[in-house]
Amino acid sequence: MTSKMYKRSWVEIDLEALEDNYKIYRNLIPATTQIMAVVKADAYGCGYEQVAKTMQECGCKNFAVSNIYEAIELRQKGINGQILILGYTSVDAADELIKYDLTQTILDEEYANDLIATNKKIKCQYAIDTGMNRIGIDGENLKEAEKEIRRINKVLDLKGIFTHLCVADANDENSNLFTKKQLNIFNKVADSVSDLKLEYIHSLNSAGSLFHYDENSNLARLGIVLYGLKPDYNDTLPEGVKPVISWKSVVSMIKEVKAGETIGYGRTYTAKQNMKVATIPTGYADGYSRYLSNIGHVYINGQKSNIVGKVCMDQMMVDVTNLKVGRNDEVVLLDQTYTADDMAKTINTIGYEIICNISKRVPRIYK
Ligand SMILES: *Cc1c(COP(=O)(O)O)cnc(C)c1O
């Protein structure tokens, strides 16, 4: 990416909002629970370097990423706290795990054996599955889980154990019961090895921290809420929390479209009357979802403008009939009022996906 920003499609990251969000959650969560900033996927599209540095300046000492590439880059950029890799790392990278002082998640017994076979005292944390069925050893099989944790503690540098909640963001009775059950299973496992005095025992993601806080968890792995978005659209966030991401573009041209003409690929939109249409140089290759074709909207000079036709790879068209719009005017695709959560709702997905999908070719500008 060139250092100069030419106005086409760009993301503005409000680092002050990020800092404020961190402080709000730091005040909300009891001091006995440390915060782990989850900065995987380039800090949910916000840029892990600036985000992690800001968090470090705020006093955060724990970071989580999804893979070893992200982990190494983070270390190279000067992040010096714990860096936990939440997912799979090939044991071919054992030397790098040691060299960069990374903490690797253990997925199951077989993976643990592979790590042991490297003959290196790798820092690690054991994942305990309490019902999500993604990674981890079965926590419900308490005796086996206990035995396995004790076995690993002898041969690797075991820093902790953790589980992941899968419906903590929903607030119906069934989901709440399931979350309680997950926490209960995990806490039993933790109790069974309490004599090992493992440094980190944790079960909370964003939704868990907000809606199912558990004092047994001495770490809260915060992702989405740090970026000012909601785990689920129906959740309410604490007062003062603000979205960190705004996404902007410009009007590249304006044209008249006559009644009966169609707009865009596949001719999916037909003008019912004479219209004024603006073209915007942002498309699905920038990460703007093609599912928003004909149902999404943008804001130009504060005015709502509907997408007409299919979102193209690099451009899209919007209806500006009766709006005050000129070429080069700024277009708001996302901001602190129309958030990624709002956009996600239109296409039945989650804010996480909207912001993670904003592609690398869209420059990030930090404020
Ligand atoms: C992604 C992830 C998190 C963060 O989830 P949020 O909902 O964004 O807070 C926490 N823990 C694990 C294991 C994860 O994979």
Side-chain angles (χ1 to χ4, degrees):
M1 194 62 68
T2 49
S3 56
K4 189 149 187 250
M5 207 282 277
Y6 306 103
K7 287 196 167 185
R8 176 190 165 262
S9 188
W10 71 98
V11 160
E12 294 174 0
I13 307 291
D14 186 344
L15 290 177
E16 221 168 280
L18 179 72
E19 215 179 299
D20 289 347
N21 293 348
Y22 179 87
K23 287 174 183 160
I24 289 170
Y25 291 113
R26 185 58 288 175
N27 282 332
L28 214 70
I29 298 169
T32 46
T33 299
Q34 292 183 46
I35 288 179
M36 172 176 264
V38 180
V39 293
K40 61 193 180 191
D42 205 20
Y44 293 43
C46 298
Y48 63 84
E49 184 181 356
Q50 286 78 0
V51 167
K53 279 186 177 161
T54 303
M55 296 291 93
Q56 187 159 273
E57 280 159 20
C58 288
C60 184
K61 294 186 174 61
N62 302 284
F63 299 86
V65 294
S66 80
N67 67 63
I68 188 158
Y69 295 105
E70 295 177 341
I72 291 173
E73 288 204 52
L74 214 54
R75 195 61 94 204
Q76 286 174 336
K77 302 289 185 201
I79 297 304
N80 41 37
Q82 171 178 222
I83 299 179
L84 174 64
I85 301 176
L86 295 169
Y88 172 79
T89 299
S90 161
V91 292
D92 294 347
D95 285 339
E96 279 74 18
L97 288 174
I98 299 282
K99 179 176 170 197
Y100 294 101
D101 188 27
L102 306 174
T103 306
Q104 174 59 41
T105 294
I106 305 180
L107 311 180
D108 65 359
E109 293 92 337
E110 272 186 45
Y111 184 77
N113 290 340
D114 288 349
L115 285 181
I116 292 166
T118 65
N119 282 317
K120 298 190 168 65
K121 210 153 167 90
I122 294 169
K123 278 190 183 172
C124 54
Q125 293 206 28
Y126 221 129
I128 311 296
D129 189 357
T130 54
M132 183 173 183
N133 282 313
R134 183 169 68 176
I135 57 167
I137 48 170
D138 182 8
E140 266 185 305
N141 201 337
L142 185 59
K143 282 275 160 295
E144 283 301 310
E146 179 190 346
K147 211 171 97 195
E148 174 63 3
I149 293 165
R150 290 184 187 280
R151 173 179 85 102
I152 297 311
N153 187 52
K154 287 198 190 101
V155 281
L156 295 172
D157 186 6
L158 188 64
K159 292 289 173 201
I161 58 173
F162 72 93
T163 194
H164 196 44
L165 304 175
C166 55
V167 280
D169 55 327
N171 47 25
D172 59 288
E173 197 181 337
N174 245 340
S175 302
N176 286 338
L177 281 174
F178 193 83
T179 300
K180 280 207 181 73
K181 183 175 160 212
Q182 281 195 280
L183 290 172
N184 191 31
I185 293 169
F186 180 70
N187 289 335
K188 276 191 186 143
V189 174
D191 278 348
S192 76
V193 293
S194 61
D195 58 300
L196 301 182
K197 306 225 176 319
L198 297 174
E199 206 172 336
Y200 303 104
I201 305 287
H202 49 120
S203 54
L204 305 172
N205 51 9
S206 288
S209 306
L210 285 184
F211 314 122
H212 299 273
Y213 177 74
D214 182 330
E215 60 187 11
N216 297 305
S217 188
N218 62 20
L219 208 62
R221 305 185 306 269
L222 299 188
I224 198 74
V225 295
L226 284 180
Y227 306 104
L229 296 173
K230 302 170 179 177
D232 178 271
Y233 190 82
N234 296 313
D235 294 337
T236 315
L237 295 179
E239 205 174 304
V241 168
K242 285 201 285 291
V244 164
I245 275 196
S246 297
W247 188 2
K248 309 218 171 131
S249 193
V250 290
V251 171
S252 59
M253 81 168 259
I254 298 169
K255 64 182 286 149
E256 307 289 332
V257 172
K258 295 212 171 63
E261 290 183 5
T262 61
I263 297 171
Y265 285 120
R267 307 184 65 205
T268 60
Y269 186 91
T270 305
K272 286 180 200 70
Q273 69 224 353
N274 292 348
M275 295 173 73
K276 191 166 66 166
V277 171
T279 302
I280 299 169
T282 295
Y284 63 78
D286 299 294
Y288 196 91
S289 177
R290 196 165 165 273
Y291 290 112
L292 289 160
S293 299
N294 286 312
I295 55 172
H297 64 270
V298 303
Y299 293 89
I300 309 175
N301 303 326
Q303 309 156 101
K304 188 175 168 190
S305 169
N306 294 321
I307 295 173
V308 285
K310 293 276 186 197
V311 173
C312 311
M313 187 185 286
D314 316 301
Q315 310 183 67
M316 65 174 133
M317 285 71 85
V318 297
D319 180 3
V320 293
T321 313
N322 304 324
L323 303 187
K324 278 206 172 60
V325 174
R327 201 168 74 84
N328 292 327
D329 281 359
E330 200 168 278
V331 178
V332 170
L333 309 179
L334 287 178
D335 66 5
Q336 292 179 330
T337 338
Y338 179 64
T339 71
D341 291 327
D342 300 327
M343 181 185 276
K345 195 179 181 205
T346 311
I347 53 174
N348 201 15
T349 184
I350 48 179
Y352 298 76
E353 192 184 32
I354 299 290
I355 58 173
C356 287
N357 276 353
I358 303 175
S359 70
K360 290 285 164 286
R361 82 176 189 191
V362 178
R364 270 64 171 172
I365 311 298
Y366 295 89
K367 308 224 145 181

